[in-house]
């Protein structure tokens, strides 16, 4: 008999006490029906509500459940990293705890794995979020794929699949602040994007405030590209050249029309100013370039600090 593949489902949880029940009630039957070995790795990301208690209670009822408890709140992507580190499946699927990613879509991702894809990206169909969030995402997706050169249609949907090789790649690259869907594309050999349903948050509130959202976009931007720094460089170069050309022009006019023309040197002053400001920007940009390189080189900090890990202990064997 061929050995069954193992699927790991990684779910970050931050104050999701109301979601866990409904989530597990839908998730576990789906996984049972897959004819795969599986585990569900729930990462408690420093929740302040009863999330952890509920998860610990579930450990007694659910085989195949692993709970990873982080020491405090480190953010969604760090939590997913912690889950990756503890997952052991050949295929790993991440999803949100709030049922915005319907568990019923998991078999679709598994199908893509079976076809040999090692990264299954997803595009949200009928996205159920506020208009503002949708607009913000659309702009981000555009900018990010432009800037980072990663062509994904939807970075935001966390119902995604990664093969063990991709997960290991991500884990070996423990950046301090990162954005997993984007990072994963670096390690993928055979990626695919599919459409998945998207639902309204089942309970509780979005854990992303405007500020957190903004900081996530910044992570994405600075983490995967040096363009924001290079813009400085280009603006500086342009201004310096512009200043120089103006200065030459003024000099020529001054020589042609005589000293009376140049408003007693005021024009010359402007030209010199343009040139100097341009040089300053240019120098800043150059510095920025070096800082960017240093930044790239030092991105080796740990993403999270582990609290503890507990695994379900069943009296009967799990079926060897
Ligand atoms: N989450 C987390 N740590 C955080 C924020 C969020 O683990 O600091 C989890 C959260 O519990 C959920 C997922 O990340 O499972 C997505 O969060 P949310 O649904 O609030 O984001 P949105 O759907 O609004 O983008
Ligand atoms: Mg959500």
């Amino acid at each position: 008999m061929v050995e069954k593949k193992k699927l790991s489902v990684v779910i970050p949880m931050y104050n999701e006490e109301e979601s866990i029940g409904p989530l597990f009630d839908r998730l576990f039957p789906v996984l049972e029906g897959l004819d795969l070995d599986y585990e569900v790795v729930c990462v408690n990301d420093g929740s302040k509500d009863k999330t952890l208690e509920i998860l610990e209670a579930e450990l007694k009822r659910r085989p195949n459940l692993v709970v990873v408890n982080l020491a405090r709140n480190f953010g969604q992507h760090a939590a997913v990293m912690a889950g990756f580190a503890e997952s052991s499946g050949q295929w790993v699927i991440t999803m949100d705890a709030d049922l915005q990613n319907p568990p019923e879509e998991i078999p679709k991702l598994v199908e893509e794995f079976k076809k040999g894809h090692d990264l299954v990206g997803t595009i949200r169909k009928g996205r159920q979020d506020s208009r503002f969030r949708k607009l913000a995402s659309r702009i981000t997706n555009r900018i990010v794929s432009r800037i980072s050169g990663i062509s994904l249609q939807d970075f935001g949907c966390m119902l995604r699949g990664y093969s063990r090789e991709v997960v290991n790649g991500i884990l070996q690259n423990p950046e301090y602040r990162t954005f997993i869907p984007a990072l994963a594309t670096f390690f993928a050999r055979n990626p695919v994007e599919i459409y998945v349903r998207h639902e309204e948050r089942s309970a509780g509130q979005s854990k992303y405030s405007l500020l957190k959202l903004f900081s996530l976009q910044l992570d994405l931007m600075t983490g995967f590209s040096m363009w924001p720094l290079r813009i400085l460089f280009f603006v500086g170069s342009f201004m310096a050249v512009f200043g120089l050309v103006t200065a030459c022009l003024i000099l020529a006019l001054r020589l042609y029309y005589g000293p009376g023309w140049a408003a007693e040197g005021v024009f010359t002053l402007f030209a010199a100013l343009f040139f100097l400001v341009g040089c300053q920007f240019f120098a800043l940009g150059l510095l920025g370039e070096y800082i960017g390189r240093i930044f790239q080189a030092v991105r080796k900090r740990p993403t999270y600090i582990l609290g503890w890990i507990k695994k379900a202990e069943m009296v009967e064997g799990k079926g060897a």
Side-chain angles (χ1 to χ4, degrees):
M1 210 185 87
V2 207
E3 210 180 300
K4 276 192 204 171
K5 293 261 195 196
K6 184 170 177 182
L7 175 71
S8 300
V9 179
V10 172
I11 312 173
M13 294 183 170
Y14 177 56
N15 296 344
E16 298 286 2
E17 55 181 8
E18 294 155 278
S19 306
I20 298 174
L23 171 70
F24 283 6
D25 287 343
R26 281 171 62 181
L27 177 64
F28 278 89
V30 170
L31 295 175
E32 282 296 336
L34 274 176
D35 191 36
L36 289 172
D37 280 339
Y38 70 89
E39 65 177 354
V40 176
V41 182
C42 291
V43 184
N44 175 41
D45 184 20
S47 298
K48 293 180 186 70
D49 64 357
K50 293 215 170 58
T51 301
L52 188 59
E53 277 107 307
I54 297 171
L55 284 175
E56 283 195 73
E58 290 284 348
L59 279 172
K60 301 195 180 78
R61 299 206 292 129
R62 313 256 186 201
N64 313 346
L65 178 65
V66 178
V67 176
V68 174
N69 182 35
L70 298 189
R72 58 191 154 84
N73 181 258
F74 288 93
Q76 183 182 359
H77 291 266
V80 170
M81 287 285 245
F84 276 171
E86 199 43 42
S87 70
S88 59
Q90 175 60 36
W91 298 327
V92 182
I93 288 177
T94 58
M95 64 186 291
D96 287 351
D98 56 5
L99 283 169
Q100 285 195 286
N101 309 136
E104 291 76 21
E105 302 285 89
I106 289 179
K108 271 201 212 165
L109 276 78
V110 172
E111 279 312 305
E112 298 301 323
F113 279 134
K114 284 185 179 160
K115 283 185 207 159
H117 293 292
D118 61 352
L119 177 67
V120 188
T122 46
I123 306 162
R124 287 167 283 196
K125 199 165 51 180
R127 184 168 171 197
Q128 300 292 324
D129 271 321
S130 69
R131 220 180 253 178
F132 171 73
R133 278 294 294 270
K134 280 197 233 177
L135 184 74
S137 290
R138 192 173 313 154
I139 296 172
T140 320
N141 286 329
R142 279 274 169 77
I143 297 177
V144 169
S145 29
R146 258 289 164 75
I147 287 185
S148 62
I150 302 169
S151 61
L152 286 184
Q153 282 198 39
D154 189 354
F155 282 92
C157 182
M158 282 308 279
L159 180 67
R160 301 179 103 84
Y162 310 89
S163 73
R164 171 61 31 198
E165 291 71 33
V166 172
V167 168
N168 286 345
I170 295 173
L171 285 173
Q172 275 163 20
N173 198 7
E175 294 182 11
Y176 180 56
R177 310 185 86 181
T178 194
F179 199 90
I180 289 168
L183 188 57
T185 56
F186 282 123
F187 298 102
R189 295 190 178 88
N190 186 10
V192 65
E193 270 192 306
I194 61 170
Y195 282 93
V196 291
R197 270 190 299 130
H198 191 246
E199 290 173 6
E200 240 167 293
R201 191 173 233 288
S202 69
Q205 290 209 332
S206 172
K207 304 301 179 288
Y208 280 103
S209 60
L210 200 60
L211 202 69
K212 254 182 153 176
L213 217 58
F214 184 63
S215 109
L216 197 70
Q217 316 300 9
L218 273 183
D219 285 354
L220 195 51
M221 213 94 111
T222 56
F224 294 93
S225 125
M226 294 197 350
W227 271 104
L229 282 173
R230 294 214 167 118
I231 288 173
L232 219 66
F233 192 77
F234 286 128
V235 169
S237 313
F238 177 75
M239 277 174 78
V241 169
F242 182 73
L244 206 60
V245 169
T246 325
C248 292
L249 195 72
I250 287 173
L251 189 70
L253 289 170
R254 156 76 180 68
L255 289 177
Y256 188 74
Y257 289 112
W261 173 82
E264 312 284 308
V266 173
F267 284 3
T268 324
L269 213 62
F270 265 111
L273 208 66
F274 261 130
F275 181 63
L276 282 179
V277 169
C279 285
Q280 256 169 0
F281 263 87
F282 183 79
L284 266 182
L286 209 61
L287 274 182
E289 190 74 20
Y290 281 101
I291 292 174
R293 275 152 211 269
I294 295 169
F295 178 47
Q296 279 182 333
V298 297
R299 262 189 234 133
K300 280 181 189 139
R301 296 178 247 174
T303 4
Y304 57 85
I305 304 164
L306 207 55
W308 49 254
I309 295 166
K310 278 187 192 176
K311 297 190 182 186
E313 276 174 56
M314 296 297 284
V315 191
E316 310 96 326
K318 291 187 208 170

